Amino acid sequence: MMNRITGKMKDETLIEMQGTADSPNGAEDNDISLNSISAGGSELPGHSEEPQSERDHVPETVPLVSGPAANNKDHSHRDSVFFRDGVRRIDFVLAYTDDKNDEKKQERRKEYEANLRKVGLELETEDKSESEDEKTYFLKIHAPWEVLATYADVLKIKVPFKVNDIPSTRDTPLGWLFMPFRLPEKVMNPEPDYFTSPFNKDKIDFFLIKDKETLFPPSTRNRIVYYILSRCPYYREEHKDKDKKGIKRLLNNGTYVSAFPLHDSRYWMKASNPKCESERYNLYNHWARFFCFYKEQPLNLIRKYYGEKIGIYFAWLGFYTEMLFFAAVVGLFCFISGVVTYDDNVWSREICNPEIGGNIVMCPLCDDKCGCWKLNSTCTASWQSHLFDNVGTVFFAIFMGIWVTLFLEFWKRRQARLEYEWDLVDFEEEQQQLQLRPEYETKCSGRRLNRVTQEMEPYLSLTSKCARTCLSGATVIFWMALICACITGVIAYRLAVFAAFASVMERSEMELVGSFITPQLATSVTASCINFVIIMILNFLYERVAIWITDMEIPKTHLEYENKLTMKMFLFQFVNYYSSCFYVAFFKGKFVGRPGDYNYMFGKLRNEECDPGGCLIELTTQLVIVMAGKQVWGNIQEALLPWMCNWWSSRKARGYSDSKNLKVYSRWEQDHDLQNFSQLGLFYEYLEMVIQFGFITLFVASFPLAPLLALCNNILEVRVDAWKLTTQFRRPMAAKARSIGAWLEILNGMAVLSVITNAFIVAFTSDMIPRLVYLYVYQPEKNATMEGYINSSLSVFDMYQFPTKVQENIQQNTKGFDCFAKPICRYRDYRYPSGHEKEYSHTMQFWHILAAKLAFIIIMEHVVFGVKVFVAWLIPDVPSEVKARIKRERYLVQEYLHNYEVEKLKVQLCQINGCQPAERSTIVCAYPETPEVLPECL
């Protein structure tokens, strides 16, 4: 007889079970698919033609689980990743809310799930009454062995056929020193090392298959299921509407609200079911916790759980962080050298000397709103500038040019090793990545024959494509012009508030502060902070603009979409973050003019001069504020925002307890309440790191401590990314990737540009070249000292050449001394004095310095580029060990396939001749009947 349970079984689940004695098949019922269930007359929720009110009271029928599984409570436990029978694994979950007023969505779901069953997938639905919000249905999907085998053959997924017999030669010298940084072997290498070959369902017994249920790891299983979901149609067979297919379109039109694979356990404790791997727990325990910051990353476990695409990102991020350690150490030594030689700074002592700097009156920085000032008022700024503008600056600029090359070349080697270890050597982009985007299919009304597939497909006309491209380009130019306008606004702010800061600093109550902060420094700091705020606001806008104009172009494939978005976002970010640094480094103070003949912007605002300590200290200030501010804000945003969103979405959860009167907070509900890791999730992570890479390479000559800041940030970044991926996001779709893609080309371009920018910074922004020219050419006593450099670097101007009104304003704005007691003032330049036959034209020393600057740029670029080319030639992209292993594996594949075919032929001949074949050493796995495969799903 039948025991019908219409309430909650132990207050947890709503099911209907059949007694053991009434089951004629006994244990065979474990493998009954839901096709037979639905065939019995009960429709899945949301698909029935009857009114919703009637269907809500009909419990779903589930076949009996006999034997130990019948008494196994794990299938109702919150950590369960299995169907109710406790046997079939949940490979994917679709969630939807049933809108009884929207029959189109119900019809789409009904046809889509019917086609999924035709392919061979097994489905099970959790009623909305069992969900926490009592609104959401969860459709659980299981891929049986025959489906996995069929599509593993289609996708050419590699599986092991022989244990790797090549001894490892990767023993590190003095490896015992690195033991504190090591992780347990079972975490670092969760699987044995095998030789692998693309799966072939016609050669089942060729491969090492101990258990068909564990041959494909969960990440591979969900990738196979997602491949089917993304290509399965949801139209009726008689309609044949080719556009209506794929889970992405169903998500876009609201038929389903989410689609995701399940985490295998909770992150803070292992799963209670021994069948569950608890890899999420291991990742959190050994990788995602901040106190593991000094440990190596379990890349093989990351790859196994999340797939190669995410694994290669963390491998690159970890390698980048390791290489930053060497740059940070050298940069720190260069900074220390500036501190050590602090007291040997002759020109700063001259500036601070009351008898020298105190008697030099500097010309006003503006015509009628500023007064004169004495040179010794810039004493503090001069000492601060020496910390970054010293001999170590040149050395560090050259070192970073070589470091960039070493970083990229050694990464190629690391990448080649990972390609081999992760079976990506012969990898080609998967068909699903080349699949047409649903948006492309929807918006393109034209159809034409695809020469490859010989099928009609949508296409975008050339006229429409050109129009969209032109509009996109015009939009990009407009927003770049907006950046320039914002920079101009910040420059206007600098000019407008300088006089205000100067008057404030001269007050008696600000005397102590004024001794440490000059008006120029106060202006620079506040302007940099304002510029950072503008950058953050524009960054928020640019992200949406870039997505909008990329959508407007209607890229054909997801790969094309990602590449287009990558270039636009990088271009916007490049201009947004670096434009202010480029202005300070190469334009500020370069086109000022001279007293009495200043150059003006917009006819009213005079062009900016550099801080009396030089432009390099201003570039350093700008770089520190923008770089450090971005890193701090980015980490807060990455860690806090997902956590707050998850807290808000799950705030009404009834808790994790299994106590009475509480519904089970199931594994699929827990994951459903997490944030979705979008297809562009890694894109933003790469973009953040590439922008940081630009800061530490393009302008590193001005701030040797930039790599140290980046290193500290990245140590935290690795753990923040790991933490949020493990605890705050749903399990991402596993995807393959053999490299970091287009980002490598961007890094190469920035590496070349960094050599040029640093050479120009040393030559034109730093005072290093003028000092060397003075030391070796213009030092009057030829005693190899810098005494007299300050006087040599300042030109003379007769203040009585100012108009009378300007003279009155200057005298009025000058406090503390009579500006016109000595009618001579000085300014930073190399010009002849008044009364000279070449009055106010450049001296020969100016041209000598300019020639030395150009010569330095040419020599530095040729030396660094020469070393870069030599290093790139010296270091092969693929290690010799990896080449040998690849050749060995290809040889073994050919040899084993040959032996396999010979053995198979012998068996066939024996069967033809009626003889008894010899017993084979290889276990032959019986291959079940191949399921029906819809042509649209291949």
Side-chain angles (χ1 to χ4, degrees), residues 116-160:
L116 292 179
R117 293 191 186 94
K118 289 182 182 179
V119 175
L121 297 179
E122 298 177 4
L123 312 179
E124 185 178 81
T125 302
E126 288 291 325
D127 191 83
K128 68 178 181 180
S129 61
E130 293 307 306
S131 64
E132 186 274 326
D133 59 2
E134 297 185 349
K135 296 179 181 179
T136 307
Y137 293 97
F138 292 95
L139 178 66
K140 299 173 287 185
I141 302 175
H142 168 74
W145 163 254
E146 55 269 21
V147 173
L148 294 174
T150 299
Y151 284 91
D153 193 353
V154 172
L155 296 175
K156 302 302 178 185
I157 293 174
K158 290 188 174 183
V159 295

Side-chain angles (χ1 to χ4, degrees), residues 19 164 278 296 308 377 436 443 461 481 583 697 747 881:
N164 192 332
S278 297
E296 59 184 338
E308 288 80 1
S377 64
L436 299 182
K443 296 179 181 179
S461 66
Y583 165 74
T697 55
L747 292 176
E881 175 195 354

Side-chain angles (χ1 to χ4, degrees), residues 20 27 126 167 303 333 419 481 551 742 761 838 843 854 890:
T20 307
E126 288 291 325
R303 172 246 182 172
F333 276 119
E419 285 180 10
D551 290 338
I761 287 174
K838 297 181 180 179
T843 64
L854 297 177
R890 288 174 177 172

Side-chain angles (χ1 to χ4, degrees), residues 621-677:
T621 303
Q622 180 79 19
L623 187 64
V624 170
I625 292 177
V626 176
M627 180 180 175
K630 180 183 183 300
Q631 292 182 165
V632 172
W633 173 253
N635 283 321
I636 293 176
Q637 187 179 27
E638 286 187 20
L640 191 60
L641 188 59
W643 180 82
M644 292 185 64
C645 291
N646 287 333
W647 172 81
W648 181 258
S649 63
S650 61
R651 67 192 185 283
K652 294 182 180 179
R654 292 176 172 85
Y656 297 94
S657 175
D658 286 338
S659 60
K660 192 174 182 180
N661 298 326
L662 289 178
K663 292 183 179 180
V664 172
Y665 193 39
S666 61
R667 164 58 42 214
W668 44 88
E669 286 184 275
Q670 293 179 47
D671 287 6
H672 180 262
D673 289 339
L674 297 177
Q675 295 298 298
N676 179 45
F677 192 80

Side-chain angles (χ1 to χ4, degrees), residues 365-366 369-370 488-503 519 523 526-527 530 601 604-608:
L365 296 177
C366 49
K369 294 182 181 180
C370 299
T488 305
V490 174
I491 295 172
Y493 164 85
R494 292 173 182 265
L495 298 175
V497 303
F498 173 78
F501 275 115
S503 61
T523 303
T526 56
I530 293 174
M601 182 173 59
K604 296 181 179 180
L605 298 176
R606 193 171 68 81
N607 290 341
E608 275 192 290

Side-chain angles (χ1 to χ4, degrees), residues 3 74 83 141 250 347 352 398 424 426 436 441 465 489 545 550 650 671 673 686 693 718 721 734 811 885 896:
N3 299 324
D74 183 73
F83 276 19
I141 302 175
L250 292 173
W347 53 90
C352 298
I398 296 175
L424 300 170
D426 300 320
L436 299 182
E441 297 176 337
K465 184 180 295 186
V545 171
T550 305
S650 61
D671 287 6
D673 289 339
Y686 276 118
F693 182 82
V718 172
D721 287 348
Q811 187 64 40
R885 286 173 173 263
Y896 271 64

